[in-house]
Amino acid sequence: MTAGLDFALFGAAPRFSELLPAGQLYYPEWKSYQKELTGIFERKYYTNQGPLVQLLEQKLQDYLGSRNVICVTNMAVGLLVSAQALTLKGKILVPYVPSALPLAWMGLDLVFCDLDLETLQMSLSDAEEKLQKDTITAVMGAHLWGGSCLPERFSEAAKAQSAAIFYDASHAFGCEIQKKTIGSGERIEIFSLHETEILSGGEGGFITTNDDDLAEMLRNIRPSYLAPVRKIFEGTRTANARMSEAQAAITLLNLENIQKYRKTNELLFQSYQRLLRTISGVQIVEPAGITLSNYSRLICLIDEKQFGVNRDMLLQILRAENVEVLVPVYYPLPVNSKTMLPNTQRIAMNAVQLPLGSKVTPDHIESICEIIERIHENSIAICSKLEAS
């Protein structure tokens, strides 16, 4: 094999014998979970606002400083329930992220907001411009990549145009803005408990709000016989949006270790920073808009001219080495979005998400960064080889 081309993509053995996953994948110890499962089976109470779900809602309220936490089956259902509670209609301003899809499924007219090239958060200037030019009834803000979209300024922009606002906070559990935890505010914020998030229930989600009337509407839409409900809303459409006791058990156990998970993420993030900063054309995106991050995502932007190969070539090579690398922004974009969302288009073509979470060690990161450095050093030979194949 040609010197410098000893990559799995070209026939060498992969660096990792098993796939190194990109998700957080934090789970409690089996013995602890087995004990909780035994309790569930002994009680013979598996869902419908059981004792573990009630306990989880209380503990999340205490942790986040929120008056109301409403647990649901998953985040997509949480979005649907929230949209119903807010009686959303017409045009909704959203970023081009997966959480927008349930709103489209409801028949809402989505207007996409561009991202900021530096922070990769929603662009406030683009949001303000579209709010002023179009009849937008609501804004779904999104806290992305362990950062924040500056919620106070987005809320002000929405209020100025009489638009409702709510937030996708799936990436943001445990993040803080000036010692104020995301999820402790007046507005609706929807969190995911998917295994890719720092706080996982295997699946699941929850909604937070300090608006008691909104919280009661949410509980009416997610019917639960044992949920404490102050007010019944007649004629409300309901959904089977209940969280299971098994989901609550995993989440409760993970919540006990959340600070350890956050610290692990931060140390891994710092390892990437130290090892990648000397490689030309690789820029780590720092969590923006927050004073405390959960470091749940490691996003890099690849400058092809400086790095030597494009992002897609990098993906090919790393995946062949059994490194699960993701494209963090949807691609391709809608046909008409190249002019509407120039920043999002550029990010979608150049961003990569590297592994970070429970399955990743500093040694793994050292190996990944060494592969990336060799790709950079041998970029001319790599490009020639790929073009010839």
Side-chain angles (χ1 to χ4, degrees), residues 77-128:
V77 170
L79 280 163
L80 298 177
V81 170
S82 298
Q84 183 72 15
L86 292 166
T87 61
L88 297 185
K89 296 179 181 178
K91 294 182 177 180
I92 315 297
L93 186 68
V94 299
Y96 198 65
V97 294
S99 56
L101 296 183
L103 302 179
W105 184 82
M106 291 186 70
L108 296 167
D109 186 0
L110 305 187
V111 178
F112 291 111
C113 179
D114 209 354
L115 297 179
D116 182 273
L117 276 177
E118 290 188 8
T119 66
L120 271 63
Q121 300 295 326
M122 290 175 71
S123 167
L124 180 63
S125 60
D126 190 59
E128 289 173 333

Side-chain angles (χ1 to χ4, degrees), residues 199-215:
L199 180 63
S200 169
E203 186 55 276
F206 63 91
I207 308 163
T208 68
T209 180
N210 283 339
D211 185 321
D212 291 339
D213 287 335
L214 261 180

Side-chain angles (χ1 to χ4, degrees), residues 146-157:
S148 159
C149 69
L150 304 176
E152 294 306 321
R153 296 184 66 183
F154 264 84
S155 296
E156 289 171 7

Side-chain angles (χ1 to χ4, degrees), residues 266-336:
E266 184 178 15
L267 292 173
L268 295 173
F269 196 99
Q270 290 171 348
S271 293
Y272 275 117
Q273 285 177 315
R274 176 175 54 83
L275 293 167
L276 290 178
R277 65 187 176 191
T278 58
I279 303 176
S280 181
V282 179
Q283 176 196 343
I284 291 180
V285 179
E286 303 285 342
I290 43 83
T291 50
L292 180 68
S293 177
N294 60 22
Y295 294 99
S296 64
R297 304 292 193 284
L298 192 291
I299 312 295
C300 291
L301 293 175
I302 305 302
D303 184 324
E304 180 180 356
K305 289 184 179 178
Q306 294 184 36
F307 185 62
V309 307
N310 62 35
R311 191 280 311 274
D312 289 348
M313 288 183 183
L314 176 62
L315 289 177
Q316 274 187 280
I317 297 169
L318 287 176
R319 286 171 177 170
E321 302 290 347
N322 275 333
V323 179
E324 184 181 34
V325 282
L326 305 178
V327 177
V329 178
Y330 264 14
Y331 182 81
L333 300 180
V335 174
N336 65 344

Side-chain angles (χ1 to χ4, degrees), residues 81-240:
V81 170
S82 298
Q84 183 72 15
L86 292 166
T87 61
L88 297 185
K89 296 179 181 178
K91 294 182 177 180
I92 315 297
L93 186 68
V94 299
Y96 198 65
V97 294
S99 56
L101 296 183
L103 302 179
W105 184 82
M106 291 186 70
L108 296 167
D109 186 0
L110 305 187
V111 178
F112 291 111
C113 179
D114 209 354
L115 297 179
D116 182 273
L117 276 177
E118 290 188 8
T119 66
L120 271 63
Q121 300 295 326
M122 290 175 71
S123 167
L124 180 63
S125 60
D126 190 59
E128 289 173 333
E129 182 179 346
K130 286 171 179 169
L131 280 163
Q132 291 165 9
K133 286 184 176 180
D134 212 338
T135 308
I136 290 170
T137 60
V139 177
M140 184 184 79
H143 306 305
L144 302 173
W145 331 123
S148 159
C149 69
L150 304 176
E152 294 306 321
R153 296 184 66 183
F154 264 84
S155 296
E156 289 171 7
K159 185 178 179 181
Q161 302 301 321
S162 301
I165 189 160
F166 60 107
Y167 291 94
D168 167 359
S170 57
H171 295 185
F173 186 83
C175 294
E176 296 179 4
I177 304 172
Q178 300 298 332
K179 296 188 177 181
K180 185 177 180 181
T181 307
I182 290 177
S184 64
E186 192 76 13
R187 297 164 294 275
I188 281 179
E189 299 187 67
I190 306 112
F191 291 80
S192 171
L193 295 172
H194 190 266
E195 62 182 5
T196 55
E197 305 305 335
I198 188 170
L199 180 63
S200 169
E203 186 55 276
F206 63 91
I207 308 163
T208 68
T209 180
N210 283 339
D211 185 321
D212 291 339
D213 287 335
L214 261 180
E216 292 309 301
M217 176 64 83
L218 290 163
R219 293 187 182 106
N220 274 250
I221 296 168
R222 177 217 65 179
S224 297
Y225 304 125
L226 297 182
V229 177
R230 293 186 301 106
K231 183 177 179 181
I232 301 297
F233 294 87
E234 298 294 338
T236 299
R237 282 196 254 177
T238 63
N240 184 359

